[in-house]
Amino acid sequence: MKTFGMRFLSKALVAGALAAMPAMALAQISLGISVNINVEPPAIPVYVQPPCPQPNFMWTPGYWAWDGEGDYYWVPGTWVEAPQPGYLWTPGYWGWGDGGVYVFHGGYWGTQVGFYGGVNYGFGYGGGGFAGGEWRGGVFAYNTSAVSVNTTVIHTTYVNTTIVNNTTIINNSHSSFNGGPNGVAAKPTPQQESFAKQPHLPATAAQTQHEQVAKQDKSNFASANHGVPAHAAVARPATSVAELQKNAVVAKAAPGAKPYVAHPAAAAKPAAKPAEAAKPAPAPAKAAPAKPESAARPAQPAAHPEAAPKSAAPKPAAAPKPAAPKPAAKPKEPPKN
């Protein structure tokens, strides 16, 4: 009882500490997904941005996610309601990590747009900062020189081409990752590093569901579409595959980008582990003729005792037969001659 009480108290203290921490502080925990060095993320495809359907919705660019088994899949870009006024979305990005692996840095909500690898996602996310609009009090104003909006429902717009030109990084290869042999050569500025240390909010429930739906659409996988997803972007986060396929716009291959080719070597690695585990199986089978086999046959004793009495019965019957009739038949042959 004393041990149980101590464990319960410890769990309660941990739970209380986590509950006391604000959600923004919890969101600062960095999450990453390491991928084999040979699996380079596909290029960013080209697609048309659907108009913003509702005020205070923020554009979240499409990106390549990892399925955890051996393939990338495209998460379509979409407009998402900001978790609260004044917050902007910093996209996630792939980076060349220590040890020669690709690591995904998840996106987050904050009052400033931080570093996202210098990846040019387009539509205001030209590689540095955000040129798609700004908060004016509790209402978001959209820069129509960078983003598309439905002006019948959205009336807070402006045009500023200077900020677009100043924040756009030329990325002719449409690379979707930072660093490495083929990635974007960009580093965070001191200001962006300070933004990363500020309180953040994680992706909303609508964003999380949208990513899960994208994973269910097999046509989004790079091994199937070779880096050109058929469902590139939607106006609102998808809640089902049918909805995604019905409303999404089609992507085009990025000019100058090489078609994505799946890496069978990387895909075969998870399958090689069970094959290696199967190799030791024949080894104990060869060593089985020893006594472990006889000890391993306790399940068959019922079959052997039944066979034993049957074999024992014919053996005594076979012994008296050669003794009685055969020697008597041999002496009858001489009188016939």
Side-chain angles (χ1 to χ4, degrees), residues 152-166:
T152 60
V153 295
I154 297 175
H155 306 290
T156 52
T157 62
Y158 67 98
V159 177
N160 186 341
T161 58
T162 302
I163 187 173
V164 175
N165 297 331
N166 292 340

PDB file of all heavy atoms in Angstrom, residues 152-166:
ATOM      1  N   THR A 152     -15.820  38.314 -52.370  1.00  0.00           N
ATOM      2  CA  THR A 152     -17.242  38.476 -52.052  1.00  0.00           C
ATOM      3  C   THR A 152     -17.509  38.330 -50.567  1.00  0.00           C
ATOM      4  O   THR A 152     -18.520  38.825 -50.064  1.00  0.00           O
ATOM      5  CB  THR A 152     -18.080  37.442 -52.828  1.00  0.00           C
ATOM      6  OG1 THR A 152     -17.665  36.119 -52.459  1.00  0.00           O
ATOM      7  CG2 THR A 152     -17.911  37.623 -54.324  1.00  0.00           C
ATOM      8  N   VAL A 153     -16.620  37.648 -49.860  1.00  0.00           N
ATOM      9  CA  VAL A 153     -16.788  37.462 -48.413  1.00  0.00           C
ATOM     10  C   VAL A 153     -15.659  38.101 -47.621  1.00  0.00           C
ATOM     11  O   VAL A 153     -15.756  38.270 -46.411  1.00  0.00           O
ATOM     12  CB  VAL A 153     -16.892  35.963 -48.057  1.00  0.00           C
ATOM     13  CG1 VAL A 153     -18.141  35.342 -48.661  1.00  0.00           C
ATOM     14  CG2 VAL A 153     -15.642  35.212 -48.498  1.00  0.00           C
ATOM     15  N   ILE A 154     -14.550  38.446 -48.282  1.00  0.00           N
ATOM     16  CA  ILE A 154     -13.405  39.055 -47.612  1.00  0.00           C
ATOM     17  C   ILE A 154     -13.177  40.436 -48.215  1.00  0.00           C
ATOM     18  O   ILE A 154     -12.991  40.582 -49.427  1.00  0.00           O
ATOM     19  CB  ILE A 154     -12.141  38.194 -47.772  1.00  0.00           C
ATOM     20  CG1 ILE A 154     -12.340  36.835 -47.088  1.00  0.00           C
ATOM     21  CG2 ILE A 154     -10.924  38.901 -47.194  1.00  0.00           C
ATOM     22  CD1 ILE A 154     -11.198  35.876 -47.289  1.00  0.00           C
ATOM     23  N   HIS A 155     -13.188  41.454 -47.362  1.00  0.00           N
ATOM     24  CA  HIS A 155     -13.072  42.829 -47.833  1.00  0.00           C
ATOM     25  C   HIS A 155     -11.830  43.532 -47.306  1.00  0.00           C
ATOM     26  O   HIS A 155     -11.571  44.675 -47.677  1.00  0.00           O
ATOM     27  CB  HIS A 155     -14.320  43.621 -47.420  1.00  0.00           C
ATOM     28  CG  HIS A 155     -15.603  42.971 -47.854  1.00  0.00           C
ATOM     29  ND1 HIS A 155     -16.002  42.895 -49.161  1.00  0.00           N
ATOM     30  CD2 HIS A 155     -16.573  42.348 -47.130  1.00  0.00           C
ATOM     31  CE1 HIS A 155     -17.168  42.270 -49.248  1.00  0.00           C
ATOM     32  NE2 HIS A 155     -17.525  41.915 -48.025  1.00  0.00           N
ATOM     33  N   THR A 156     -11.070  42.890 -46.435  1.00  0.00           N
ATOM     34  CA  THR A 156      -9.842  43.488 -45.895  1.00  0.00           C
ATOM     35  C   THR A 156      -8.653  42.995 -46.720  1.00  0.00           C
ATOM     36  O   THR A 156      -8.051  41.969 -46.410  1.00  0.00           O
ATOM     37  CB  THR A 156      -9.668  43.118 -44.420  1.00  0.00           C
ATOM     38  OG1 THR A 156      -9.769  41.682 -44.292  1.00  0.00           O
ATOM     39  CG2 THR A 156     -10.730  43.773 -43.575  1.00  0.00           C
ATOM     40  N   THR A 157      -8.335  43.721 -47.783  1.00  0.00           N
ATOM     41  CA  THR A 157      -7.237  43.346 -48.669  1.00  0.00           C
ATOM     42  C   THR A 157      -6.370  44.563 -48.975  1.00  0.00           C
ATOM     43  O   THR A 157      -6.788  45.710 -48.785  1.00  0.00           O
ATOM     44  CB  THR A 157      -7.766  42.760 -49.991  1.00  0.00           C
ATOM     45  OG1 THR A 157      -8.529  43.764 -50.670  1.00  0.00           O
ATOM     46  CG2 THR A 157      -8.639  41.529 -49.730  1.00  0.00           C
ATOM     47  N   TYR A 158      -5.163  44.298 -49.426  1.00  0.00           N
ATOM     48  CA  TYR A 158      -4.258  45.351 -49.868  1.00  0.00           C
ATOM     49  C   TYR A 158      -3.271  44.740 -50.852  1.00  0.00           C
ATOM     50  O   TYR A 158      -3.235  43.512 -51.056  1.00  0.00           O
ATOM     51  CB  TYR A 158      -3.537  46.001 -48.683  1.00  0.00           C
ATOM     52  CG  TYR A 158      -2.566  45.080 -47.969  1.00  0.00           C
ATOM     53  CD1 TYR A 158      -1.203  45.122 -48.243  1.00  0.00           C
ATOM     54  CD2 TYR A 158      -3.014  44.181 -47.000  1.00  0.00           C
ATOM     55  CE1 TYR A 158      -0.311  44.291 -47.586  1.00  0.00           C
ATOM     56  CE2 TYR A 158      -2.139  43.347 -46.337  1.00  0.00           C
ATOM     57  CZ  TYR A 158      -0.778  43.404 -46.634  1.00  0.00           C
ATOM     58  OH  TYR A 158       0.095  42.579 -45.985  1.00  0.00           O
ATOM     59  N   VAL A 159      -2.441  45.559 -51.464  1.00  0.00           N
ATOM     60  CA  VAL A 159      -1.444  45.101 -52.432  1.00  0.00           C
ATOM     61  C   VAL A 159      -0.084  45.661 -52.032  1.00  0.00           C
ATOM     62  O   VAL A 159       0.082  46.869 -51.871  1.00  0.00           O
ATOM     63  CB  VAL A 159      -1.794  45.557 -53.867  1.00  0.00           C
ATOM     64  CG1 VAL A 159      -0.688  45.132 -54.834  1.00  0.00           C
ATOM     65  CG2 VAL A 159      -3.128  44.971 -54.303  1.00  0.00           C
ATOM     66  N   ASN A 160       0.885  44.747 -51.874  1.00  0.00           N
ATOM     67  CA  ASN A 160       2.254  45.140 -51.538  1.00  0.00           C
ATOM     68  C   ASN A 160       3.204  44.154 -52.217  1.00  0.00           C
ATOM     69  O   ASN A 160       3.409  43.036 -51.743  1.00  0.00           O
ATOM     70  CB  ASN A 160       2.468  45.137 -50.033  1.00  0.00           C
ATOM     71  CG  ASN A 160       3.845  45.685 -49.634  1.00  0.00           C
ATOM     72  OD1 ASN A 160       4.763  45.735 -50.448  1.00  0.00           O
ATOM     73  ND2 ASN A 160       3.971  46.101 -48.384  1.00  0.00           N
ATOM     74  N   THR A 161       3.764  44.557 -53.343  1.00  0.00           N
ATOM     75  CA  THR A 161       4.686  43.686 -54.073  1.00  0.00           C
ATOM     76  C   THR A 161       6.112  43.776 -53.546  1.00  0.00           C
ATOM     77  O   THR A 161       6.916  42.869 -53.766  1.00  0.00           O
ATOM     78  CB  THR A 161       4.683  44.061 -55.565  1.00  0.00           C
ATOM     79  OG1 THR A 161       5.056  45.438 -55.711  1.00  0.00           O
ATOM     80  CG2 THR A 161       3.303  43.841 -56.171  1.00  0.00           C
ATOM     81  N   THR A 162       6.431  44.838 -52.829  1.00  0.00           N
ATOM     82  CA  THR A 162       7.790  45.008 -52.319  1.00  0.00           C
ATOM     83  C   THR A 162       8.151  43.928 -51.316  1.00  0.00           C
ATOM     84  O   THR A 162       9.231  43.333 -51.380  1.00  0.00           O
ATOM     85  CB  THR A 162       7.955  46.388 -51.666  1.00  0.00           C
ATOM     86  OG1 THR A 162       7.641  47.397 -52.617  1.00  0.00           O
ATOM     87  CG2 THR A 162       9.371  46.578 -51.161  1.00  0.00           C
ATOM     88  N   ILE A 163       7.245  43.655 -50.386  1.00  0.00           N
ATOM     89  CA  ILE A 163       7.532  42.645 -49.372  1.00  0.00           C
ATOM     90  C   ILE A 163       7.646  41.265 -49.991  1.00  0.00           C
ATOM     91  O   ILE A 163       8.419  40.415 -49.538  1.00  0.00           O
ATOM     92  CB  ILE A 163       6.452  42.669 -48.263  1.00  0.00           C
ATOM     93  CG1 ILE A 163       6.856  41.726 -47.119  1.00  0.00           C
ATOM     94  CG2 ILE A 163       5.090  42.272 -48.816  1.00  0.00           C
ATOM     95  CD1 ILE A 163       5.945  41.811 -45.925  1.00  0.00           C
ATOM     96  N   VAL A 164       6.896  41.031 -51.072  1.00  0.00           N
ATOM     97  CA  VAL A 164       6.990  39.740 -51.754  1.00  0.00           C
ATOM     98  C   VAL A 164       8.374  39.571 -52.361  1.00  0.00           C
ATOM     99  O   VAL A 164       9.020  38.518 -52.241  1.00  0.00           O
ATOM    100  CB  VAL A 164       5.901  39.617 -52.835  1.00  0.00           C
ATOM    101  CG1 VAL A 164       6.078  38.320 -53.621  1.00  0.00           C
ATOM    102  CG2 VAL A 164       4.520  39.669 -52.207  1.00  0.00           C
ATOM    103  N   ASN A 165       8.865  40.617 -53.016  1.00  0.00           N
ATOM    104  CA  ASN A 165      10.182  40.541 -53.646  1.00  0.00           C
ATOM    105  C   ASN A 165      11.297  40.423 -52.626  1.00  0.00           C
ATOM    106  O   ASN A 165      12.307  39.747 -52.867  1.00  0.00           O
ATOM    107  CB  ASN A 165      10.406  41.788 -54.517  1.00  0.00           C
ATOM    108  CG  ASN A 165       9.422  41.873 -55.663  1.00  0.00           C
ATOM    109  OD1 ASN A 165       8.936  40.853 -56.155  1.00  0.00           O
ATOM    110  ND2 ASN A 165       9.117  43.088 -56.102  1.00  0.00           N
ATOM    111  N   ASN A 166      11.132  41.046 -51.488  1.00  0.00           N
ATOM    112  CA  ASN A 166      12.186  41.045 -50.477  1.00  0.00           C
ATOM    113  C   ASN A 166      12.263  39.746 -49.691  1.00  0.00           C
ATOM    114  O   ASN A 166      13.291  39.475 -49.052  1.00  0.00           O
ATOM    115  CB  ASN A 166      11.987  42.215 -49.500  1.00  0.00           C
ATOM    116  CG  ASN A 166      12.214  43.565 -50.169  1.00  0.00           C
ATOM    117  OD1 ASN A 166      12.853  43.651 -51.217  1.00  0.00           O
ATOM    118  ND2 ASN A 166      11.691  44.615 -49.547  1.00  0.00           N
TER     119      ASN A 166
END
